[in-house]
Amino acid sequence: MENKRSSWGSNLGFLLAAIGSAVGLGNIWGFPFKMGKSGGFAFLIIYLLLAVFVGMIIMVSELAVGRKTKLSPIDAYQKISKKFKWIGWLATIAPFLIMSFYSVLGGYVMQYIALNLSELSFGGEQIAISGSAAFTAIRTQPFGAVVFTVFFMILCMVIVQGGVDSGIEKFNKVGMPALFVMLVIVIIRSLTLPNAVEGLKFMFVPGYAVAAGYVAEAPDVVSVLGLAGGQMFFSLSLAMGAILTYGSYLGKEENLVKNSVIIVAADTLIALLAGIAVIPASVSYGISQGLSPAEIAGGLGGPGLLFITLQDVFANMGKIGPLFGVIFYALVLIAAISSAISLIETVSAHWIDKDLQKGETDTRKRIVLIVSLLIMIPAALVAADGLGKSSFTPAALMGIQGNVPDVIGDWLDFMDTFSEYLMMPLGAMLMALMIGWELDPSIVLDEVGHGNSSKGFAKFYSLCVKFIVPVVMAFVLAGSLKGNCGGSATMWYIFAGIVLVGFWIFAAVGKKKAEE
Ligand code: PFF
């Protein structure tokens, strides 16, 4: 039975697919916009520390659990821990929720490609459409948004139906190098615009964002932790079952630590490059329009960055603008597809595995079709809502009016908050609790050992999974909640402390019981 289960054609194919899963809207949109929101350099440093001490550890753990069990998340967790088997459900429902808005954003990106293509074919005779006009039009046309969401879903579905090696791996082998080349082209254009250096200073000079008036004051650490932590998990596709699922198709001889380092490094590099492509161009455009630093940061720091500010940048580049628009939005589309297919695969893998166990081998196409259709139900709601432009936002349905918190302001934020800001940090914390305290770090280290690993790594891993990951995750969770619910930083520091104490008590009681 086991040898009928899918597997990667090569380690390189796996790496490109995992990098494809990691590199997505999170890198090209989320990273620059969150960096803009929390004042440049401070965000960058916290992000990098989190990626090494937490992201890497969870990545190795997920790959090891996947490869050890050769199962999809629900059965994988069930196999290694009775107490924590429901983390597997968390890691199957969360990707489903993410897809409900990711597919809508993928559809938006397709609309921007079409828009820039049409401007290109008019040869500049037609007046370029401004970002805000385009975005308002898209958000207020529910039918168009739903149609493009369905297009995006069909594209992804066909790739996943093709299988792990001849669908997902093949797409990424072409898509990832293409994405890289296109990104370099956009970076060259961005950095040769007037005042581009100002954007680089915003990103890389410590304290510059505050000193130059882009942000009023440096944000508190817990807020930046929440933002950078959520971003890091989302960007690396962690605590969502995707990396675990991809790991379950990996051969025993492959080196999990080396693979994790490559995936984390590549994802971080692309996020930085995307920042260098997007931020200097937007700052240059803002200066040319006579905007103040605070107004420029507003354009960088909001969800409008991808769909308003950047469209304005291309619309104001003259005749050649739409061409760069097409290249840019096409690379965003490749990034979105390569991530979406990992999410669809993660949800589908559970039922594909179940059928395999029953001896049914040819059910992938049917299962992927059903999963895709199911995703389209909440996706249609998110698409028709147009980011809160509808009369059926969560707040409206609850009868709440006036200034409502983001989470219930529109359906996209609603799905995003639950998956990215609650399920992800919670899933990661529980995973650390399970591996570090209920079981033993050796469960991962033994599996890692198949591909050879050093003693130094074993020590580093145990220390991180037992202590550093839980502490950091408690603060990330607190920061996420603060970002969504408000309240003072002190209150959320105390919350993180309580969560941590609960964590240790739970761990100690569990350990004692296991020893009895
Ligand atoms: N990593 C993707 C991004 O940065 O856009 C999103 C994502 C893919 C999140 C797969 C979670 C996941 F399991």
Side-chain angles (χ1 to χ4, degrees):
M1 177 193 70
E2 207 169 67
N3 56 8
K4 290 210 193 86
R5 201 167 182 270
S6 307
S7 60
W8 301 109
S10 65
N11 192 51
L12 178 69
F14 156 75
L15 276 174
L16 288 171
I19 293 170
S21 170
V23 171
L25 295 171
N27 301 61
I28 298 166
W29 182 21
F31 186 84
F33 121 55
K34 285 173 192 169
M35 195 161 171
K37 195 168 163 179
S38 43
F41 192 74
F43 177 87
L44 180 63
I45 293 301
I46 292 194
Y47 184 91
L48 292 177
L49 289 173
L50 286 173
V52 174
F53 290 101
V54 180
M56 259 283 298
I57 298 300
I58 302 286
M59 173 93 47
V60 172
S61 312
E62 279 201 44
L63 287 178
V65 171
R67 189 174 71 176
K68 181 182 172 66
T69 56
K70 291 210 168 299
L71 289 167
S72 44
I74 297 176
D75 291 337
Y77 282 104
Q78 164 125 11
K79 194 164 177 182
I80 64 165
S81 165
K82 285 206 183 74
K83 206 188 270 167
F84 287 104
K85 64 176 181 228
W86 51 275
I87 306 183
W89 278 102
L90 218 59
T92 306
I93 296 168
F96 184 88
L97 292 182
I98 290 191
M99 268 314 284
S100 73
F101 65 85
Y102 214 83
S103 56
V104 176
L105 296 173
Y108 283 1
V109 174
M110 290 172 100
Q111 297 204 59
Y112 277 83
I113 296 178
L115 174 73
N116 281 282
L117 266 178
S118 74
E119 286 176 358
L120 197 61
S121 59
F122 280 107
E125 283 161 34
Q126 196 197 30
I127 299 165
I129 298 174
S130 79
S132 56
F135 200 40
T136 308
I138 287 176
R139 287 173 64 191
T140 47
Q141 284 165 8
F143 181 71
V146 173
V147 168
F148 276 94
T149 303
V150 172
F151 278 166
F152 180 82
M153 280 303 298
I154 293 175
L155 262 177
C156 298
M157 182 185 81
V158 171
I159 298 170
V160 182
Q161 282 181 327
V164 172
D165 53 344
S166 38
I168 298 174
E169 184 169 340
K170 241 189 192 157
F171 175 82
N172 283 295
K173 272 189 166 160
V174 181
M176 284 304 109
L179 179 146
F180 189 76
V181 172
M182 291 195 263
L183 190 54
V184 171
I185 296 174
V186 180
I187 287 177
I188 293 173
R189 176 67 284 215
S190 169
L191 289 182
T192 47
L193 290 169
N195 296 314
V197 167
E198 183 68 11
L200 290 179
K201 282 193 197 159
F202 172 86
M203 289 177 79
F204 297 114
V205 177
Y208 190 75
V210 180
Y214 287 96
V215 268
E217 53 176 336
D220 60 89
V221 177
V222 74
S223 303
V224 182
L225 258 182
L227 214 56
Q231 169 63 22
M232 187 270 294
F233 271 86
F234 189 79
S235 185
L236 288 173
S237 302
L238 292 175
M240 285 278 134
I243 294 296
L244 188 155
T245 307
Y246 274 14
S248 75
Y249 304 131
L250 197 57
K252 284 281 178 213
E253 65 289 353
E254 310 302 352
N255 188 326
L256 300 185
V257 180
K258 206 160 142 196
N259 278 346
S260 301
V261 173
I262 295 174
I263 301 166
V264 174
D267 183 67
T268 310
L269 178 74
I270 301 280
L272 276 173
L273 290 179
I276 296 175
V278 164
I279 293 181
S282 308
V283 171
S284 156
Y285 164 75
I287 293 175
S288 76
Q289 299 297 302
L291 301 184
S292 70
E295 286 168 324
I296 294 176
L300 284 176
L305 172 62
L306 189 59
F307 299 120
I308 299 176
T309 311
L310 283 168
Q311 173 59 26
D312 281 337
V313 170
F314 300 124
N316 281 277
M317 245 181 214
K319 269 198 172 156
I320 198 82
L323 178 64
F324 281 101
V326 173
I327 298 175
F328 176 76
Y329 288 111
L331 87 85
V332 179
L333 181 65
I334 296 177
I337 293 176
S338 64
S339 298
I341 54 182
S342 74
L343 291 159
I344 298 178
E345 175 68 21
T346 303
V347 182
S348 309
H350 175 68
W351 286 277
I352 297 175
D353 274 353
K354 281 275 172 269
D355 278 348
L356 261 185
Q357 283 155 12
K358 284 188 256 161
E360 292 176 43
T361 50
D362 272 337
T363 55
R364 165 176 286 271
K365 279 202 168 71
R366 198 185 69 219
I367 291 171
V368 174
L369 172 70
I370 297 172
V371 166
S372 305
L373 287 173
L374 288 174
I375 290 172
M376 282 185 216
I377 300 169
L381 178 72
V382 175
D385 177 43
L387 285 170
K389 285 273 186 208
S390 74
S391 57
F392 46 85
T393 62
L397 293 182
M398 289 180 214
I400 304 173
Q401 281 163 357
N403 227 347
V404 296
D406 283 353
V407 52
I408 51 168
D410 64 77
W411 279 104
L412 190 149
D413 262 310
F414 184 81
M415 303 289 186
D416 188 24
T417 302
F418 276 96
S419 47
E420 184 179 355
Y421 292 104
L422 285 175
M423 289 168 135
M424 266 189 179
L426 211 60
M429 204 162 153
L430 289 167
M431 188 174 198
L433 183 59
M434 177 186 81
I435 293 173
W437 297 92
E438 195 221 5
L439 305 167
D440 189 88
S442 62
I443 188 151
V444 165
L445 291 169
D446 287 349
E447 183 59 34
V448 166
H450 289 294
N452 291 322
S453 94
S454 69
K455 283 232 160 55
F457 177 75
K459 276 203 180 123
F460 174 71
Y461 178 84
S462 302
L463 178 77
C464 288
V465 83
K466 282 186 152 203
F467 301 102
I468 297 182
V469 175
V471 172
V472 172
M473 289 325 296
F475 282 96
V476 169
L477 190 65
S480 305
L481 288 169
K482 179 176 182 291
N484 285 291
C485 314
S488 73
T490 321
M491 178 182 122
W492 290 109
Y493 283 131
I494 295 171
F495 169 87
I498 295 172
V499 170
L500 263 181
V501 172
F503 178 97
W504 304 124
I505 292 176
F506 191 71
V509 172
K511 194 112 195 131
K512 208 159 175 215
K513 266 204 186 138
E515 280 162 11
E516 277 166 16

